[in-house]
Every structure is written in C-alpha cells, then in structure tokens.
Amino acid sequence: MQRWQGGQGVPQPWQGQGAPSMLASHADRERAVDVLRAGFSEGRLDERELDQRVARAYQTRTVGELALLVADLPQGPVPLTSAAVAVPATFLPKTPPPTNGKAVGSLVCGVLTLMTAGLTGLPAVVLGHAARREMSHTGESGDGLALTGLVLGWLSVAGWAVLLTLLVVAGFAGV
C-alpha cells in the first residue's frame, strides 16, 4: 500500500518543506520511502539499493538528507511523452437513437384510456400512426411505445363503437 503526499491515492512529488537543514518528520521520511519503493517497482532501483536507501531514509535527521536519497528518481507520476491516440470510432459504443416524442404521447394516451373512459383513445391512434410514419423516415426509436399506444387506442375506439351500436339498437328496439 502506497501512501503518497496529498492523501488522494495519486502519487504526488515528494518535496521536502523548508530549508535543507530543517529536521525531517515521520511523514517526510514515509513520503521519501514511498518514492524509493515506486522507483523500485518501476525497475529504477535493485532490491539491495532499495534496502540501503530505505534504511538510510529512516536514519536521516534533516529534509536535505532525504532529498539527496531521492534526487535521482522521478518524484511523482512521469508524464507521457506522446499524446494519447484517439480510439477509432469503430470501437466506440454506438449511441442509441432518440425516442420519438409522438410515440411516447401515443403510449400515454393509450394508458389514459383506462382512466378517461376511452376519451383519449382517438388521440392515441392518431399519435401512434404519426409516430410510426416519422420513425420510418428519421430512424428514431420507440416503435414498441407507438404500437402499444395504437393497440390501446384502437381497443378504446372499438369499445366506444360497440357501446354506441348497442345504444342505437336499444333505441330502435324501444320505439
């Protein structure tokens, strides 16, 4: 586990605070040892040299002595020398097409037919057909929404047609 200056888990440069003759704190020694361990993990130091420098780091008294132990090592993340290559569009995830607004409206009107006694059935049918026509030209998504709105709308229209037919038949039968 590496403890780096800053505490965010991102390696930061070790910078001894103050003058070289200032006494080193435990935190200063730990940051210097972290830089040494990072140098070892990158292959910049061999194990024997790491052990010697770590032992020396824990024996130091001043910040200047610690600075000498890590002077020949990068003291933080080494920047990339070349710019990162962009990922070709072939390998990027494809963004889904937007959902057609009329398809959503058709579904909402179709569902509302249950609560409005079928009064929103006709708008559901009109919006559903308009949405499907638009989606075939624009490539938008939402065909399932439009189809559901159409089915619920047509069921509502059929229900009203049956109810009106029964009322007309009952009216003629009662005359």
Side-chain angles (χ1 to χ4, degrees), residues 3-93:
R3 291 170 300 208
W4 294 93
Q5 181 177 351
Q8 281 90 28
V10 177
Q12 298 294 319
W14 180 83
Q15 300 165 342
Q17 283 76 25
S21 62
M22 185 173 75
L23 292 177
S25 68
H26 293 299
D28 291 331
R29 288 184 189 90
E30 289 299 323
R31 283 191 293 271
V33 168
D34 286 342
V35 170
L36 291 169
R37 287 185 180 139
F40 173 71
S41 68
E42 293 170 353
R44 298 177 191 276
L45 298 174
D46 60 17
E47 190 171 357
R48 185 183 60 77
E49 188 174 6
L50 171 70
D51 293 338
Q52 289 174 350
R53 287 191 189 196
V54 168
R56 181 71 182 130
Y58 286 122
Q59 295 171 357
T60 58
R61 297 215 6 99
T62 65
V63 172
E65 292 175 74
L66 287 174
L68 289 174
L69 286 173
V70 297
D72 59 343
L73 296 172
Q75 297 177 21
V78 179
L80 293 175
T81 56
S82 63
V85 179
V87 176
T90 307
F91 299 110
L92 293 175

Side-chain angles (χ1 to χ4, degrees), residues 110-125:
V111 170
L112 287 177
T113 59
L114 303 171
M115 291 159 264
T116 61
L119 295 177
T120 57
L122 195 55
V125 170

